[in-house]
Amino acid sequence: MLRRHRHAARLTLDQLADLSGVSGRTLSDMERGRSKGPQHRTVVALADALVLEGADRRQLVELARGGRLRDDGNRSTGLCELPRSVDDFTGRSAELAWTANLVGDEDSAAVGQVGLITGAAGLGKTAFAIHAGHTLRPDFPDGVFFLDLFGMSARPLPADQALALLLRALGVPDQQIPADPAEGASLYRSLLRERRVLVVLDNTASEEQIRPLLPGGGRGRVLVTSRRLLAGLEDVRRLNLGPLPLLDTTLLLSGITRDRGTADDDSVLTELAQLCGGLPLAVRIVGNRLVSRPAWRAAELVTRLADDERRLDQLKAGDLKVATAFGMSYEQLAPPARTLFRRLALVTGRDFDAALAAVVGQISVEDAWDVLDELIDLGLLQDSGAGRYRLHDLVGLFARERLKAEDPAAEREAIEGTMTSWLVRKATVAGRWFERDHGHPGHPGRPDAEFADVTSDEEADHWLRANVDNWLAALATTASGGRHSAVLDCAESLYWFSDRWMHAPHWHEVFTLGVEAAAALGDPVRQAGQLNSLAWVHLLPRDDPETALRYTAEATDLATPSGSTAHLASALHLAGGALRRLGRLDEATASETRAAEMFKAIGDMDSYCQCLGALGTCLRDAGHHAEALERYLDLWALLNEPESGVRPTVAEFIRPIALARAGECLGSLGRRPEAITKLVEAISLMEQAQLSVPQAHSLETLASLLADEGRRDESSRAYARAAEMFETVGDADAGRRCRDRVSTAL
């Protein structure tokens, strides 16, 4: 309006400034809309200079008055000011992009108006929300407001008081704030509908506290932070903050300490960052401690933090304490949840399931699920998916401190003993599922009501793999406690299962404990069995045939006086495998032949089939490929014979290996198309049976045959799959070898 009247009067800005006495800058701000509510005397001076009268004069004066009223309502009151953001804020780029998308979605429904940011103590939710507020400030010309709701305190801020504070911050005079909370919430929503404001509501206690503070549509946006998941809130977008990646953690620590005047080695800072577990609060404390003590060497702090017993004590600087942050969440828990949380410190593995939590909590599994949900809701427990849970390293140390402080030593020892016994018993029952005659009356591994979740070999396999860290630690604890019978029973029960998971790194420990337990019990026959198991470990997973031979010799010496045919035959079979790998093929053939005869004589068709396969391999290694092929095909036929006496689970294991060996022999005989067909089928069977090691070797053989046939693309893909499988089982050299051949195959 002002520009239109100036142009009608044919005046420049400078000329109008001279006539009115109003500065040119003020005039420019008014015409560009930057000053929408100038003072009355200023508008009168302009109207006089422009010689405005009647309706034109009244309209200009009224527009200015309306602008002043709007400015009064939008002007910052100094209340609920956004705190300053730290200069060294690091990382969270994806999360910041999430907030930018939230506020930039102009056409979204209410769900686009509220962003809920959750996460455990120490993850920097408040710092993130404040940084996001400052970053987004240009998008909110009507203001960015911040309110701490004190959700972790004993007395969170009531919703009606929070509403009153926000209404004052938005410019509503005290006398106009409704006494009725519902009316106040309605007024608040109407203001957020009309104005482009961002409200950051930090440290929320509950859905009840936050609901009246959420917008109902329009231009306003709200960011909410909470340690709780607030699962009852509807129509919100959710962001769960996790620990910072190691690179960002290290960069944050470097940024905090960059001006401390002491050069710290990058590797030492990385080690410190690892000990902080990705928690920005812990990183801030470590960085502040180094900055406040310039003479300190970062390596000294690494040494202090490396001690688990002292780490939480070291993670404090002034009023910043990691333990205090965890403690605020802990105090929010109901008594049963506190008890379980403390006792979870006794779990030694990386993660655990609800069944183990029920054991340490001495509650039902159903109750354990409820308590675990409460711990997750407060960020004291991480849900790693597939029914598995874990404590963050630092949270685990806090749980251990609470356990020592609140639970008597005798009670702790009793719970730990109960957990250990339960794990060893369950591992034993799970292992029995893979033994001969499982499920027959009198078999020690029949389904047990105590372990109702293990009712098939598939469930047993899954439990043993998922819980290996826990039952292996329990087995070692049981051994150190002198419970030799339980240790030996468990080690023996895992013999057949070990074939299904032969690349696992822990079998040497399992069977060594078994040998020691049998020796302590004075049982040479069972000790011979465990020595044979150790020989198997060194023959296959460790590829150390010399050591395998030494163990088979010890097993033979122990088993011979008792006439234990099964253990003697096993020693001969394993010795045959070791001799073959050492190139002593005649001795290997003789040893495998004797073993096969002994196994057949005692009706052990499972082991007999393994010896037949080994004899075929001896022939193959000797260059007698046609004879070896005949032996493998005979074995294949026997394994597919319903009345063979071979257990289905054993046949499932041997069948793909026999087929793959037949394929290798066909390839050596120049019958490559037939060889490829056999290997493709064998690899598919190996994948179903989860036989990763032989599958990797068969893939490499297949890739070579495909290359010889000129099928370069297929060969390259087979080499790539073989490399992945070798890397999965920890054979880095073989993985590199196959990856090197991927490009050459093309």
Side-chain angles (χ1 to χ4, degrees):
M1 179 68 70
L2 177 62
R3 183 183 297 112
R4 182 165 62 82
H5 285 306
R6 179 172 63 79
H7 287 170
R10 300 181 180 277
L11 296 174
T12 66
L13 279 174
D14 289 340
Q15 289 171 331
L16 181 57
D18 290 339
L19 289 170
S20 64
V22 178
S23 72
R25 180 173 180 177
T26 298
L27 289 172
S28 176
D29 286 345
M30 292 167 66
E31 289 195 0
R32 287 185 294 138
R34 296 187 64 180
S35 175
K36 299 179 180 180
Q39 294 298 316
H40 179 71
R41 62 177 178 273
T42 301
V43 181
V44 170
L46 291 172
D48 290 342
L50 293 167
V51 195
L52 295 180
E53 296 180 351
D56 287 341
R57 187 181 185 94
R58 286 195 301 274
Q59 186 180 27
L60 187 66
V61 171
E62 285 300 317
L63 283 174
R65 180 175 179 275
R68 286 196 299 277
L69 290 175
R70 287 193 299 274
D71 278 353
D72 287 342
N74 291 336
R75 188 175 295 119
S76 174
T77 62
L79 298 173
C80 298
E81 283 290 311
L82 187 68
R84 71 180 183 88
S85 180
V86 292
D87 294 334
D88 48 34
F89 184 90
T90 303
R92 305 294 194 197
S93 56
E95 293 86 346
L96 288 169
W98 177 87
T99 61
N101 180 64
L102 174 81
V103 304
D105 193 356
E106 293 286 353
D107 298 325
S108 67
V111 69
Q113 293 183 312
V114 181
L116 174 58
I117 302 161
T118 59
L123 285 174
K125 297 180 295 299
T126 299
F128 171 76
I130 291 172
H131 185 79
H134 283 283
T135 303
L136 298 170
R137 190 185 287 277
D139 296 315
F140 295 96
D142 296 330
V144 177
F145 303 98
F146 177 91
L147 184 61
D148 186 349
L149 298 176
F150 298 100
M152 286 295 106
S153 71
R155 298 178 61 185
L157 186 67
D160 58 343
Q161 293 183 26
L163 266 176
L165 286 169
L166 288 169
L167 288 171
R168 290 190 188 98
L170 289 165
V172 179
D174 286 354
Q175 62 271 22
Q176 295 181 20
I177 295 176
D180 180 58
E183 292 181 12
S186 178
L187 175 60
Y188 170 77
R189 287 192 296 271
S190 69
L191 293 173
L192 263 60
R193 182 181 296 276
E194 298 168 0
R195 302 181 189 180
R196 185 65 174 165
V197 300
L198 174 65
V199 180
V200 179
L201 300 171
D202 186 46
N203 196 8
T204 304
S206 65
E207 293 92 340
E208 181 183 15
Q209 183 192 36
I210 199 71
R211 276 198 177 96
L213 311 180
L214 302 181
R219 306 175 67 200
R221 297 289 185 267
V222 173
L223 289 180
V224 180
T225 76
S226 178
R227 293 191 192 182
R228 295 185 179 276
L229 296 178
L230 303 183
L233 286 183
E234 60 283 334
D235 294 337
V236 298
R237 293 184 182 178
R238 296 175 179 273
L239 173 67
N240 184 259
L241 288 188
L244 283 175
L246 180 59
L247 177 59
D248 286 342
T249 309
T250 306
L251 288 173
L252 174 59
L253 182 58
S254 299
I256 296 170
T257 60
R258 64 178 177 268
D259 296 326
R260 84 183 193 101
T262 302
D264 296 310
D265 188 86
D266 289 345
S267 63
V268 176
L269 291 180
T270 299
E271 195 170 355
L272 276 175
Q274 285 178 315
L275 290 167
C276 291
L279 263 64
L281 174 61
V283 178
R284 178 73 52 191
I285 289 170
V286 168
N288 288 357
R289 292 193 71 184
L290 290 173
V291 169
S292 63
R293 295 171 175 82
W296 266 22
R297 292 174 57 251
E300 295 176 9
L301 195 50
V302 168
T303 302
R304 295 188 184 193
L305 291 175
D307 182 354
D308 286 350
E309 299 297 327
R310 300 181 58 201
R311 190 176 309 166
L312 284 183
D313 287 337
Q314 294 297 316
L315 289 175
K316 59 184 179 182
D319 61 350
L320 294 178
K321 296 181 181 179
V322 167
T324 299
F326 296 153
M328 294 175 70
S329 295
Y330 178 72
E331 292 300 323
Q332 300 287 317
L333 297 172
R338 292 188 194 180
T339 299
L340 179 58
F341 173 72
R342 296 193 303 271
R343 291 180 178 180
L344 288 175
L346 296 171
V347 177
T348 53
R350 289 188 298 270
D351 56 16
F352 54 89
D353 56 19
L356 182 55
V359 171
V360 298
Q362 296 185 314
I363 54 179
S364 68
V365 174
E366 292 76 16
D367 288 342
W369 285 331
D370 292 339
V371 176
L372 292 171
D373 282 346
E374 185 177 352
L375 294 175
I376 291 169
D377 188 51
L378 268 166
L380 289 170
L381 189 66
Q382 299 174 5
D383 185 349
S384 55
R388 309 294 298 176
Y389 307 90
R390 68 178 297 267
L391 293 170
H392 184 279
D393 290 347
L394 295 180
V395 176
L397 294 179
F398 175 75
R400 187 190 303 177
E401 283 191 358
R402 290 293 86 216
L403 183 69
K404 289 182 178 179
E406 300 183 38
D407 295 68
E411 186 174 324
R412 298 198 304 266
E413 291 172 6
I415 295 296
E416 186 171 18
T418 299
M419 176 188 72
T420 298
S421 296
W422 183 87
L423 283 166
V424 172
R425 288 200 313 275
K426 187 162 185 177
T428 303
V429 169
R432 298 282 184 210
W433 274 93
F434 307 96
E435 292 184 341
R436 185 183 293 107
D437 299 328
H438 181 272
H440 288 193
H443 188 276
R446 296 186 71 201
D448 190 314
E450 184 181 8
F451 307 118
D453 58 329
V454 181
T455 57
S456 68
D457 54 355
E458 290 84 3
E459 290 174 347
D461 184 298
H462 173 75
W463 188 88
L464 286 166
R465 292 174 190 256
N467 293 279
V468 60
D469 290 344
N470 292 313
W471 64 254
L472 184 61
L475 190 64
T477 300
T478 303
S480 64
R483 297 176 54 216
H484 306 301
S485 293
V487 172
L488 186 54
D489 286 346
C490 186
E492 287 178 334
S493 77
L494 294 167
Y495 171 74
W496 285 104
F497 173 70
S498 64
D499 270 340
R500 296 171 66 109
W501 198 16
M502 65 175 64
H503 65 277
H506 55 266
W507 293 123
H508 184 270
E509 180 180 357
V510 170
F511 296 129
T512 297
L513 290 172
V515 169
E516 294 170 350
L521 293 169
D523 191 332
V525 174
R526 296 175 78 184
Q527 187 178 356
Q530 294 302 292
L531 285 165
N532 279 333
S533 295
L534 268 181
W536 169 84
V537 171
H538 286 274
L539 182 62
L540 290 178
R542 293 200 168 191
D543 195 16
D544 181 4
E546 292 284 3
T547 303
L549 276 178
R550 178 166 59 81
Y551 282 128
T552 58
E554 291 181 34
T556 300
D557 290 342
L558 287 170
T560 299
S562 66
S564 175
T565 304
H567 291 322
L568 287 170
S570 292
L572 285 167
H573 170 51
L574 291 162
L579 290 165
R580 180 183 64 79
R581 295 199 178 201
L582 291 169
R584 297 157 61 178
L585 296 180
D586 291 341
E587 295 173 80
T589 301
S591 188
E592 293 287 5
T593 300
R594 287 181 58 204
E597 293 169 350
M598 294 173 74
F599 280 128
K600 191 172 185 179
I602 63 175
D604 186 349
M605 296 303 292
D606 297 343
S607 300
Y608 172 69
C609 286
Q610 290 185 337
C611 290
L612 291 183
L615 283 168
T617 304
C618 288
L619 289 168
R620 181 203 65 181
D621 289 359
H624 306 310
H625 299 295
E627 296 174 57
L629 174 62
E630 186 176 348
R631 186 63 58 89
Y632 288 132
L633 293 177
D634 288 343
L635 175 58
W636 173 260
L638 178 61
L639 291 168
N640 288 287
E641 171 58 49
E643 304 301 323
S644 67
V646 181
R647 286 184 301 150
T649 54
V650 175
E652 181 186 25
F653 170 74
I654 302 176
R655 191 181 289 119
I657 297 175
L659 193 60
R661 296 288 184 269
E664 292 169 6
C665 290
L666 286 166
S668 298
L669 291 169
R671 297 159 61 180
R672 287 195 291 268
E674 296 174 77
I676 289 170
T677 300
K678 297 285 188 191
L679 283 165
V680 168
E681 183 180 355
I683 289 166
S684 176
L685 292 173
M686 289 172 179
E687 188 166 10
Q688 295 174 27
Q690 299 182 2
L691 302 176
S692 303
V693 173
Q695 183 182 353
H697 286 288
S698 295
L699 280 165
E700 185 176 14
T701 303
L702 173 64
S704 177
L705 290 170
L706 289 167
D708 291 341
E709 284 288 286
R711 297 160 65 174
R712 303 295 181 183
D713 289 344
E714 296 172 80
S715 173
S716 177
R717 289 195 293 271
Y719 273 128
R721 284 185 63 200
E724 291 175 5
M725 295 301 300
F726 278 124
E727 289 161 1
T728 297
V729 301
D731 192 340
D733 292 338
R736 281 191 294 271
R737 180 179 69 234
C738 290
R739 291 210 180 277
D740 289 343
R741 293 176 182 172
V742 169
S743 57
T744 58
L746 294 171

